Amino acid sequence: MSVFVLFGTVLHHKDGITLTSSQAAAFVKRSGVISLPGQFNYGNRLQLHANIHLLQNMGYSVYVLYPDQRHRTLKKAKRFLKKCLGQHEETNEASSTQERLGAFSRFDAPLKENHVRSVWSLKKDYYLFFVGSDQVWNPDYARHNADWYFLRFARPEQRIALAPSIGLDELTSRQARWLARGVSGFPRLSVREQRGAELIKECSGLDAEVICDPTLVLTAEEWRAAADERLTPADPYVFTYLLGGTSVEAQNVLGKVTENGRIPVVALSDRQKPGELDAGPAEFISLIDNAEHVVTDSFHAAVFSSILQTPLTIVRREGGASMFSRLESLAKTLGIEHKVYDSPAYDPSRAGDYATVPRAIEREREKFMAYLKKCLNG
């Protein structure tokens, strides 16, 4: 880590840079946060804001870092050209209206961002780097940018893994080798799910502490202060956030909680469909907070329902790689197994029962902050 030696009022950096004491104090609080990009996934943006909020409260000056601005600009130009030629690219952001993209931008407006062209110079510009939360170690998302998501551009002592998620229940042998190499560069490891810790142990032999998603560390009052009610209906509604589509399980649940269609459904997804609201993350919080019931296959929709104590049913996501261990881990941690549809403990009469949850969340907050302080003090 950068070492400073005090000579009067001047601190000398080991790399040959001379700083005053005030400049040095500012440098040791300058930190970069790395997460998945994009303005379409509510959970991704909310966990990013949670991390930044926590670090800022601890006195850090936090920047969200994105790699290779030229590449991003080129991709946008190609996408625009395809759109002009009538060749629509089926991406999550491409499906969003300008109004929804604007709502995401409005939520992100307070962030300080840095689009990085030369990642290998970052270790001289920032004191610490944090990677997480969300699926930053999912090989399906990060395999082509491992240097970035495993912070290889930084010195090992600058690297902090803050509840990253692998997001998969099983790995191929190639994915396991990729993960083992990536995690080997961290002096201390954490992950968001128990299954993630097991996979790291299996492929690398290293131990990873299981800590909660940063969204759980903020209080309900803090999240309500960030919410926006402009799109929240005045009349009762059921809210769905189903990233795998409306499965048979979801249809069965919705038939009951809407009283066979008497209560209307407000639906959102990360790939906007016709009729969906132009909601950003702030509106997402309010829609969950004020719903009569939430039906979801999403980790973060389940998290926010638990924080805000909205009646909840968790269903399995259809199609794609299995990611259900994330929700199983969350349900076990918070003691809400009775909200998981078709599980042995499932009890629809207890959808709004959160009696044990506040203490469970407080326990997870304490564990999260203890891990973070160990990293910072180390």
Side-chain angles (χ1 to χ4, degrees):
M1 187 171 288
S2 301
V3 177
F4 297 91
V5 182
L6 184 63
F7 294 98
T9 60
V10 177
L11 292 170
H12 294 274
H13 189 279
K14 72 169 186 174
D15 294 330
I17 303 170
T18 302
L19 303 175
T20 65
S21 57
S22 61
Q23 288 172 329
F27 176 72
V28 297
K29 291 295 186 179
R30 182 180 171 91
S31 304
V33 172
I34 290 168
S35 186
L36 296 175
Q39 292 187 312
F40 57 88
N41 186 285
Y42 297 94
N44 167 263
R45 307 321 289 170
L46 290 162
Q47 62 80 21
L48 176 61
H49 279 256
N51 272 338
I52 291 170
H53 181 84
L54 291 168
L55 293 170
Q56 286 177 337
N57 282 351
M58 299 176 78
Y60 285 84
S61 178
V62 188
Y63 292 79
V64 184
L65 305 181
Y66 296 108
D68 199 353
Q69 187 179 22
R70 291 168 296 176
H71 177 61
R72 286 167 56 86
T73 303
L74 181 61
K75 283 183 68 175
K76 287 182 179 180
K78 287 181 176 178
R79 190 178 300 144
F80 177 75
L81 180 60
K82 286 183 177 180
K83 188 173 182 179
C84 292
L85 296 173
Q87 301 173 2
H88 297 290
E89 187 177 356
E90 289 300 319
T91 65
N92 296 68
E93 285 182 332
S95 70
S96 296
T97 63
Q98 288 303 309
E99 289 75 15
R100 180 181 281 203
L101 291 174
F104 271 85
S105 295
R106 187 166 59 244
F107 188 73
D108 282 349
L111 301 182
K112 292 187 290 187
E113 297 182 352
N114 184 6
H115 295 271
V116 182
R117 292 191 176 184
S118 176
V119 300
W120 300 103
S121 66
L122 282 173
K123 61 187 175 185
K124 295 182 180 180
D125 298 328
Y126 293 86
Y127 192 64
L128 293 171
F129 299 92
F130 301 84
V131 61
S133 172
D134 221 342
Q135 298 181 60
V136 288
W137 288 353
N138 184 328
D140 292 338
Y141 301 154
R143 66 182 181 275
H144 298 305
N145 214 349
D147 287 342
W148 182 250
Y149 289 110
F150 289 112
L151 307 182
R152 288 182 190 148
F153 55 83
R155 291 184 290 272
E157 62 269 21
Q158 291 179 296
R159 306 172 189 175
I160 297 179
L162 199 53
S165 173
I166 297 168
L168 298 175
D169 297 346
E170 301 294 337
L171 298 175
T172 66
S173 57
R174 184 175 182 179
Q175 289 172 333
R177 290 192 300 271
W178 175 87
L179 180 63
R181 180 169 179 258
V183 299
S184 65
F186 287 82
R188 182 177 279 116
L189 286 169
S190 73
V191 285
R192 200 177 66 183
E193 295 96 23
Q194 181 61 40
R195 182 56 185 150
E198 292 168 359
L199 289 172
I200 288 174
K201 185 69 173 179
E202 290 168 10
C203 73
S204 70
L206 299 174
D207 294 317
E209 189 170 344
V210 180
I211 61 174
C212 69
D213 189 89
T215 51
L216 277 167
V217 185
L218 272 63
T219 65
E221 290 70 26
E222 287 174 308
W223 283 121
R224 287 184 175 119
D228 191 321
E229 296 184 352
R230 72 182 69 194
L231 299 179
T232 302
D235 297 324
Y237 63 93
V238 170
F239 179 75
T240 66
Y241 188 57
L242 297 165
L243 301 183
T246 307
S247 64
V248 174
E249 284 189 356
Q251 290 174 9
N252 291 339
V253 174
L254 284 171
K256 295 175 183 177
V257 300
T258 65
E259 299 177 8
N260 292 320
R262 189 183 68 81
I263 302 175
V265 172
V266 174
L268 285 184
S269 59
D270 59 351
R271 188 185 289 265
Q272 190 173 13
K273 300 176 179 63
E276 288 187 356
L277 296 176
D278 296 317
E283 292 80 12
F284 177 84
I285 299 169
S286 179
L287 288 167
I288 288 178
D289 193 18
N290 292 283
E292 295 289 304
H293 200 112
V294 171
V295 180
T296 190
D297 58 10
S298 157
F299 176 87
H300 279 107
V303 164
F304 277 89
S305 298
S306 299
I307 294 171
L308 302 169
Q309 298 197 10
T310 303
L312 168 69
T313 302
I314 297 169
V315 298
R316 291 181 181 272
R317 189 181 306 183
E318 288 192 344
S322 176
M323 298 181 177
F324 199 66
S325 66
R326 298 181 300 156
L327 283 161
E328 289 177 321
S329 182
L330 176 69
K332 184 177 181 180
T333 298
L334 299 184
I336 56 171
E337 295 96 329
H338 54 275
K339 303 181 193 299
V340 180
Y341 183 78
D342 217 18
S343 72
Y346 178 59
D347 183 352
S349 69
R350 298 181 63 198
D353 178 4
Y354 288 98
T356 63
V357 170
R359 180 66 192 105
I361 291 179
E362 184 58 33
R363 186 170 58 246
E364 292 305 308
R365 284 183 185 134
E366 292 170 358
K367 189 176 178 182
F368 182 100
M369 294 307 299
Y371 168 82
L372 177 56
K373 289 174 182 177
K374 280 190 294 185
C375 291
L376 297 175
N377 293 334

PDB file of all heavy atoms in Angstrom, residues 180-192:
ATOM      1  N   ALA A 180     -10.625 -19.332  -9.553  1.00  0.00           N
ATOM      2  CA  ALA A 180      -9.515 -19.569  -8.639  1.00  0.00           C
ATOM      3  C   ALA A 180      -8.384 -18.582  -8.883  1.00  0.00           C
ATOM      4  O   ALA A 180      -7.790 -18.041  -7.933  1.00  0.00           O
ATOM      5  CB  ALA A 180      -9.006 -21.002  -8.794  1.00  0.00           C
ATOM      6  N   ARG A 181      -8.089 -18.329 -10.131  1.00  0.00           N
ATOM      7  CA  ARG A 181      -7.026 -17.372 -10.445  1.00  0.00           C
ATOM      8  C   ARG A 181      -7.430 -15.963 -10.014  1.00  0.00           C
ATOM      9  O   ARG A 181      -6.618 -15.206  -9.485  1.00  0.00           O
ATOM     10  CB  ARG A 181      -6.737 -17.395 -11.949  1.00  0.00           C
ATOM     11  CG  ARG A 181      -5.646 -16.420 -12.367  1.00  0.00           C
ATOM     12  CD  ARG A 181      -5.182 -16.646 -13.793  1.00  0.00           C
ATOM     13  NE  ARG A 181      -4.149 -15.681 -14.167  1.00  0.00           N
ATOM     14  CZ  ARG A 181      -4.361 -14.609 -14.907  1.00  0.00           C
ATOM     15  NH1 ARG A 181      -5.580 -14.346 -15.381  1.00  0.00           N
ATOM     16  NH2 ARG A 181      -3.380 -13.776 -15.201  1.00  0.00           N
ATOM     17  N   GLY A 182      -8.686 -15.622 -10.218  1.00  0.00           N
ATOM     18  CA  GLY A 182      -9.136 -14.277  -9.889  1.00  0.00           C
ATOM     19  C   GLY A 182      -9.106 -13.970  -8.409  1.00  0.00           C
ATOM     20  O   GLY A 182      -8.626 -12.913  -7.988  1.00  0.00           O
ATOM     21  N   VAL A 183      -9.596 -14.888  -7.585  1.00  0.00           N
ATOM     22  CA  VAL A 183      -9.704 -14.601  -6.153  1.00  0.00           C
ATOM     23  C   VAL A 183      -8.363 -14.694  -5.437  1.00  0.00           C
ATOM     24  O   VAL A 183      -8.232 -14.231  -4.299  1.00  0.00           O
ATOM     25  CB  VAL A 183     -10.726 -15.533  -5.470  1.00  0.00           C
ATOM     26  CG1 VAL A 183     -12.106 -15.342  -6.065  1.00  0.00           C
ATOM     27  CG2 VAL A 183     -10.286 -17.000  -5.547  1.00  0.00           C
ATOM     28  N   SER A 184      -7.352 -15.278  -6.100  1.00  0.00           N
ATOM     29  CA  SER A 184      -6.064 -15.492  -5.444  1.00  0.00           C
ATOM     30  C   SER A 184      -5.351 -14.185  -5.111  1.00  0.00           C
ATOM     31  O   SER A 184      -4.428 -14.177  -4.301  1.00  0.00           O
ATOM     32  CB  SER A 184      -5.163 -16.358  -6.329  1.00  0.00           C
ATOM     33  OG  SER A 184      -4.854 -15.672  -7.536  1.00  0.00           O
ATOM     34  N   GLY A 185      -5.762 -13.078  -5.721  1.00  0.00           N
ATOM     35  CA  GLY A 185      -5.065 -11.811  -5.517  1.00  0.00           C
ATOM     36  C   GLY A 185      -5.601 -10.951  -4.394  1.00  0.00           C
ATOM     37  O   GLY A 185      -5.168  -9.808  -4.234  1.00  0.00           O
ATOM     38  N   PHE A 186      -6.539 -11.466  -3.586  1.00  0.00           N
ATOM     39  CA  PHE A 186      -7.134 -10.675  -2.513  1.00  0.00           C
ATOM     40  C   PHE A 186      -6.588 -11.109  -1.152  1.00  0.00           C
ATOM     41  O   PHE A 186      -6.542 -12.305  -0.854  1.00  0.00           O
ATOM     42  CB  PHE A 186      -8.658 -10.833  -2.508  1.00  0.00           C
ATOM     43  CG  PHE A 186      -9.345 -10.127  -3.641  1.00  0.00           C
ATOM     44  CD1 PHE A 186      -9.420 -10.715  -4.897  1.00  0.00           C
ATOM     45  CD2 PHE A 186      -9.909  -8.877  -3.454  1.00  0.00           C
ATOM     46  CE1 PHE A 186     -10.053 -10.069  -5.951  1.00  0.00           C
ATOM     47  CE2 PHE A 186     -10.546  -8.220  -4.498  1.00  0.00           C
ATOM     48  CZ  PHE A 186     -10.611  -8.809  -5.753  1.00  0.00           C
ATOM     49  N   PRO A 187      -6.202 -10.151  -0.316  1.00  0.00           N
ATOM     50  CA  PRO A 187      -5.730 -10.522   1.020  1.00  0.00           C
ATOM     51  C   PRO A 187      -6.845 -11.038   1.919  1.00  0.00           C
ATOM     52  O   PRO A 187      -6.601 -11.762   2.879  1.00  0.00           O
ATOM     53  CB  PRO A 187      -5.157  -9.212   1.572  1.00  0.00           C
ATOM     54  CG  PRO A 187      -5.835  -8.137   0.792  1.00  0.00           C
ATOM     55  CD  PRO A 187      -6.082  -8.709  -0.572  1.00  0.00           C
ATOM     56  N   ARG A 188      -8.076 -10.648   1.634  1.00  0.00           N
ATOM     57  CA  ARG A 188      -9.235 -11.111   2.406  1.00  0.00           C
ATOM     58  C   ARG A 188     -10.409 -11.229   1.433  1.00  0.00           C
ATOM     59  O   ARG A 188     -10.569 -10.386   0.558  1.00  0.00           O
ATOM     60  CB  ARG A 188      -9.543 -10.130   3.534  1.00  0.00           C
ATOM     61  CG  ARG A 188     -10.689 -10.542   4.426  1.00  0.00           C
ATOM     62  CD  ARG A 188     -10.905  -9.561   5.569  1.00  0.00           C
ATOM     63  NE  ARG A 188      -9.966  -9.799   6.660  1.00  0.00           N
ATOM     64  CZ  ARG A 188      -9.033  -8.951   7.053  1.00  0.00           C
ATOM     65  NH1 ARG A 188      -8.898  -7.798   6.431  1.00  0.00           N
ATOM     66  NH2 ARG A 188      -8.228  -9.240   8.057  1.00  0.00           N
ATOM     67  N   LEU A 189     -11.240 -12.252   1.614  1.00  0.00           N
ATOM     68  CA  LEU A 189     -12.335 -12.498   0.684  1.00  0.00           C
ATOM     69  C   LEU A 189     -13.684 -12.467   1.380  1.00  0.00           C
ATOM     70  O   LEU A 189     -13.825 -12.931   2.519  1.00  0.00           O
ATOM     71  CB  LEU A 189     -12.170 -13.864   0.009  1.00  0.00           C
ATOM     72  CG  LEU A 189     -11.083 -13.992  -1.064  1.00  0.00           C
ATOM     73  CD1 LEU A 189     -10.883 -15.465  -1.417  1.00  0.00           C
ATOM     74  CD2 LEU A 189     -11.455 -13.195  -2.314  1.00  0.00           C
ATOM     75  N   SER A 190     -14.672 -11.931   0.683  1.00  0.00           N
ATOM     76  CA  SER A 190     -16.067 -12.070   1.107  1.00  0.00           C
ATOM     77  C   SER A 190     -16.901 -12.352  -0.129  1.00  0.00           C
ATOM     78  O   SER A 190     -16.517 -12.004  -1.248  1.00  0.00           O
ATOM     79  CB  SER A 190     -16.571 -10.805   1.805  1.00  0.00           C
ATOM     80  OG  SER A 190     -16.769  -9.750   0.876  1.00  0.00           O
ATOM     81  N   VAL A 191     -18.045 -12.980   0.075  1.00  0.00           N
ATOM     82  CA  VAL A 191     -19.021 -13.200  -0.981  1.00  0.00           C
ATOM     83  C   VAL A 191     -20.410 -13.030  -0.378  1.00  0.00           C
ATOM     84  O   VAL A 191     -20.575 -12.988   0.845  1.00  0.00           O
ATOM     85  CB  VAL A 191     -18.909 -14.599  -1.638  1.00  0.00           C
ATOM     86  CG1 VAL A 191     -17.710 -14.686  -2.556  1.00  0.00           C
ATOM     87  CG2 VAL A 191     -18.861 -15.682  -0.579  1.00  0.00           C
ATOM     88  N   ARG A 192     -21.401 -12.965  -1.256  1.00  0.00           N
ATOM     89  CA  ARG A 192     -22.759 -12.653  -0.819  1.00  0.00           C
ATOM     90  C   ARG A 192     -23.575 -13.883  -0.451  1.00  0.00           C
ATOM     91  O   ARG A 192     -24.533 -13.785   0.302  1.00  0.00           O
ATOM     92  CB  ARG A 192     -23.467 -11.878  -1.935  1.00  0.00           C
ATOM     93  CG  ARG A 192     -24.671 -11.092  -1.491  1.00  0.00           C
ATOM     94  CD  ARG A 192     -25.262 -10.308  -2.630  1.00  0.00           C
ATOM     95  NE  ARG A 192     -25.814 -11.151  -3.679  1.00  0.00           N
ATOM     96  CZ  ARG A 192     -26.334 -10.689  -4.813  1.00  0.00           C
ATOM     97  NH1 ARG A 192     -26.326  -9.391  -5.056  1.00  0.00           N
ATOM     98  NH2 ARG A 192     -26.826 -11.514  -5.729  1.00  0.00           N
TER      99      ARG A 192
END
